[in-house]
């Protein structure tokens, strides 16, 4: 167990260092500044004091960036190891395939979470500067649910990276998550409007696809509706945990059958 | 292959320049004028403008997309501005302009988590993660949060009259910032000099529920009527739907002001026009009632 933890810790450190060394986060931060600073200086119809649209735009950027980072980090965990054949060295350490998978996943999640924490910290600082940070439990809940989503996105792209090519993986994963984020809750209503074979497909997708929209509390945060009930909050965390475990189990099964 | 990108970029830049510098003579099919870019992207601009406008509506309800049961909050009718003596209301449903009764700030009982999710746990979670669908309106100065969306809406499509008039209403009646409202009105008029709805909105802005500048508001309403008449070739019977409602609204205001002044002759003219559009409309009845009040012996059948 001690060896397992040491191996996992080493892999986490590796993933973490890799993400921050790539400077993706800083590029995104500069892009966010380039978008948000002019927006925050605008005075529509000469009015001042409107902040919600800025908060909404900033949180949407945070969501987009976190999706990009989580999917990218998850998708890059195994393909480079396979291509450069360093996976043989890793497995010869000796490190089990299970430990490799868990360590890589934990590293990607840690790296994604650190980026997310950085973006939320920047959001909080910007809110403070712009007009005072007036958020409470709702903001904390939104952050924690976003962390859970980030882990789920890493797990999705990790499984995808073991099944399809990197570009196909990124495309399919982002389509699935973005589509569910925006349209997930409307799928049952849509299924009612289409004919039988398609409606079954839509209902099946609704049942098993990752419900990214569960983790989106922007509306509550931006418009001051307050936090969600703790039972709901825990239910969403439970959903994320279950989904991540299921995806990791599938990934483990795929990795086990993979001829190396 | 290497030189393909600069070549494509050059072509794109050339095409953009050519479109931008196209002859200014307007093509006959351009209903609202505009250059070649307007032809190419006019529909997209209108769609974007509508989306921004809907976002403003969503912000008014605390970020919740919902059908508001408070029919009057964006209602452009004259019913609250004018004294209709307890008669039935002219119940048109269009959403723009300026209502007379503000109920910004009150929450209505809504369908807060009205579904227990049934056998669908995902729906159960979704309903509770999202804000509850209770009617909550932005009140007072908080309504300034709507302004960026109205601004974006009219920037995308300066001919979105609904966005202009609603922005004017929010600025004037909810934020209660007369200076801001006047500035929006000036911009709206500059962008839509021939819009009778904007002229009606100007009249309502000046009328201020009967407490404003009567002479100035009458001039604005008269201008609105003139624009309406010019749009239909002075034959108001051809006005239909929304245009007819707007024109009737204008007549309602004009007749109320004329009645205060004792202008029976003008009232008769307004009544004739209102009856040409819809003899059974509430505005026709209102004008007839005003004539009766001025001249009890008048025959207004």
């Amino acid at each position: 167990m001690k060896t397992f933890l040491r191996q996992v810790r080493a892999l986490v450190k590796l993933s973490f260092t890799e993400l921050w060394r790539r400077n993706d986060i800083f590029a995104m931060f500069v892009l966010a500044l380039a978008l948000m600073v002019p927006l925050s200086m605008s005075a529509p119809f000469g009015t001042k004091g409107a902040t919600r649209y800025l908060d909404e735009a900033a949180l949407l950027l945070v969501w987009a960036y976190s999706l990009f980072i989580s999917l990218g980090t998850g998708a890059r965990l195994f393909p480079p190891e396979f291509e450069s054949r360093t996976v043989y060295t890793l497995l010869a350490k000796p490190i089990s395939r299970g430990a490799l998978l868990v360590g890589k996943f934990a590293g990607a999640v840690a790296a994604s979470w650190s980026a997310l924490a950085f973006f939320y910290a920047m959001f909080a600082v910007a809110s403070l500067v712009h007009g005072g940070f007036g958020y409470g439990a709702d903001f904390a809940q939104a952050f924690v649910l976003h962390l859970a989503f980030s882990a789920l996105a890493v797990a999705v792209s990790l499984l995808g990276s073991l099944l399809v090519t990197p570009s196909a993986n990124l495309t399919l994963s982002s389509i699935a998550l973005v589509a569910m984020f925006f349209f997930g809750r409307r799928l049952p209503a849509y299924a009612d409007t289409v004919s039988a074979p398609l409606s079954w497909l839509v209902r099946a997708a609704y049942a098993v696809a990752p419900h990214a929209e569960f983790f989106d509390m922007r509306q509550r945060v931006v418009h001051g509706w307050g936090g969600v009930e703790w039972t709901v909050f825990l239910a969403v965390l439970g959903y994320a945990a279950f989904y991540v475990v299921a995806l990791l189990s599938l990934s483990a099964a795929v990795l086990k059958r993979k001829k190396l | 292959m290497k030189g393909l990108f600069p070549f494509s970029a050059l072509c794109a830049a050339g095409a953009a320049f050519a479109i931008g510098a196209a002859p200014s003579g307007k093509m006959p099919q351009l209903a609202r004028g505009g250059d070649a870019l307007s032809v190419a992207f006019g529909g997209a601009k209108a769609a974007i403008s509508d989306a921004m406008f809907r976002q403003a509506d969503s912000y008014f309800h605390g970020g919740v997309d919902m059908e508001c049961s408070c029919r009057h909050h964006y209602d452009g009718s004259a019913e609250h501005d004018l004294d209709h003596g307890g008669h039935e209301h002219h119940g048109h449903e269009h959403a723009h302009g300026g209502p007379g009764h503000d109920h910004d700030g009150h929450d209505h009982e809504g369908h807060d988590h009205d579904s227990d999710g049934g056998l669908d746990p995902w729906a159960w979670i979704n309903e509770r993660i999202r804000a509850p669908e209770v009617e909550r309106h932005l009140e007072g100065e908080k309504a300034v949060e709507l302004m960026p969306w109205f601004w974006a809406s009219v920037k995308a499509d300066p001919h979105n009259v609904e966005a202009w008039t609603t922005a004017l209403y929010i600025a004037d009646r909810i934020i209660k910032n007369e200076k801001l409202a006047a500035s929006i009105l000036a911009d709206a008029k500059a962008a839509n000099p021939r819009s009778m709805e904007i002229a009606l909105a100007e009249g309502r802005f000046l009328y201020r529920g009967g407490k404003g500048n009567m002479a100035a508001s009458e001039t604005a309403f008269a201008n609105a009527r003139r624009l309406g008449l010019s749009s239909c070739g002075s034959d108001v019977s051809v006005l239909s739907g929304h245009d007819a409602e707007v024109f009737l609204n204008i007549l309602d205001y004009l007749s109320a002001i004329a009645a205060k002044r004792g202008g029976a002759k003008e009232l008769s003219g307004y009544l004739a026009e209102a009856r040409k559009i819809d003899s059974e409309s509430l505005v026709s009845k209102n004008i007839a009632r005003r004539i009766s009040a001025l001249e009890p012996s008048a025959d207004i059948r």
Side-chain angles (χ1 to χ4, degrees), chain A residues 44-45 47-53 56 145 184-186 188 206-208 211 213-214 216-217 219-220 222-225 228-229 231-232 235-236 239, chain B residues 55 59 61-64 113 120 122-126 128-132 134 136 138 142 144-145 147-151 154 164 167 180 183-184 187:
Chain A
F45 294 125
T47 56
K48 299 261 180 190
T51 55
R52 292 187 189 185
Y53 77 106
E56 184 159 1
L145 289 189
R185 72 193 176 94
R186 296 185 191 138
Y206 179 71
V208 300
H211 280 270
E213 78 277 13
F214 287 175
D216 177 21
M217 279 185 60
Q219 184 194 32
R220 282 182 173 274
V222 170
H223 295 283
W225 284 97
V228 294
E229 297 158 34
T231 45
V232 179
V236 177
Y239 172 84
Chain B
Q55 188 72 354
Y59 265 48
H61 296 108
V64 181
H113 302 160
D120 185 353
W122 304 159
W124 184 85
I125 291 175
N126 262 324
R128 282 152 183 81
I129 283 289
R130 296 188 62 76
V134 292
R136 191 176 82 169
L138 282 185
K142 281 185 184 172
V144 78
E145 299 287 357
M147 286 302 151
W149 299 107
F150 288 129
W151 183 84
V154 299
W164 281 116
L180 172 64
S183 141
I184 292 170
D187 290 347

Side-chain angles (χ1 to χ4, degrees), chain B residues 10-294:
Chain B
L10 202 64
C11 288
F17 179 78
I19 290 170
S24 58
K26 284 171 186 152
M27 285 177 269
Q29 69 268 32
L30 292 181
R32 295 191 301 203
D35 52 19
L37 282 174
S38 300
V39 177
F41 302 111
K45 281 162 67 181
I48 292 167
S49 178
D50 281 346
M52 298 292 120
F53 181 73
R54 279 200 302 277
Q55 188 72 354
D57 188 65
S58 165
Y59 265 48
F60 188 64
H61 296 108
V64 181
D65 298 322
M66 64 187 303
E67 287 289 321
C68 186
S69 66
C70 306
R71 188 172 60 81
H72 304 300
H73 80 266
Y74 275 5
D75 187 345
S77 74
E79 62 189 74
H80 300 283
D81 266 356
L82 301 176
D83 172 22
H84 285 171
H87 285 240
E88 59 178 318
H89 285 318
H90 175 47
H92 67 176
E93 294 283 343
H94 71 271
H96 65 100
H101 104 186
D102 301 345
H103 43 158
D104 41 319
H106 62 209
D107 291 5
H108 293 265
E109 286 294 324
H111 28 288
D112 181 6
H113 302 160
D114 56 352
S115 159
D116 59 1
L119 293 172
D120 185 353
W122 304 159
W124 184 85
I125 291 175
N126 262 324
E127 279 174 11
R128 282 152 183 81
I129 283 289
R130 296 188 62 76
E133 287 196 10
V134 292
E135 283 181 18
R136 191 176 82 169
H137 297 156
L138 282 185
E139 46 183 299
E141 288 186 358
K142 281 185 184 172
V144 78
E145 299 287 357
L146 310 183
M147 286 302 151
W149 299 107
F150 288 129
W151 183 84
S153 179
V154 299
K155 281 288 166 192
D157 181 8
H159 304 295
N160 188 341
V161 169
E162 192 176 10
W164 281 116
T165 53
T166 311
L168 172 63
Y169 164 67
I170 296 288
D172 185 33
R173 303 290 178 96
I174 294 190
I175 304 174
K176 299 191 191 305
N177 184 339
E178 218 173 299
K179 198 177 158 192
L180 172 64
S183 141
I184 292 170
L185 181 60
D187 290 347
K189 281 169 69 180
N192 302 276
R194 302 204 56 76
S195 164
M196 71 168 162
E197 274 187 86
I198 301 277
L200 168 64
E202 181 183 16
R204 287 169 59 82
F205 172 65
L206 296 165
Y207 186 75
R208 312 204 75 75
K211 294 169 192 150
N213 184 338
M214 286 300 114
S217 67
E218 188 173 19
T219 305
F221 287 128
N223 181 43
R225 177 173 164 271
R226 187 179 54 76
L227 291 170
L229 287 173
S230 69
S231 73
C232 63
S234 298
D235 181 9
V236 292
S237 62
V238 301
L239 290 174
S240 61
H242 182 66
D243 285 346
E245 280 178 3
V246 172
F247 198 83
L248 283 172
N249 243 319
I250 294 165
L251 294 179
D252 209 1
Y253 279 104
L254 279 171
S255 63
I257 296 171
K260 276 185 187 171
R261 213 183 38 239
K265 195 179 167 188
E266 289 158 281
L267 283 173
S268 301
Y270 297 146
L271 180 61
E273 283 178 355
R275 282 181 170 170
K276 269 189 194 171
I277 295 171
D278 180 2
S279 59
E280 292 303 310
S281 72
L282 182 67
V283 172
S284 300
K285 290 172 187 167
N286 286 338
I287 301 173
R289 183 172 50 81
R290 286 175 189 131
I291 293 174
S292 298
L294 274 181

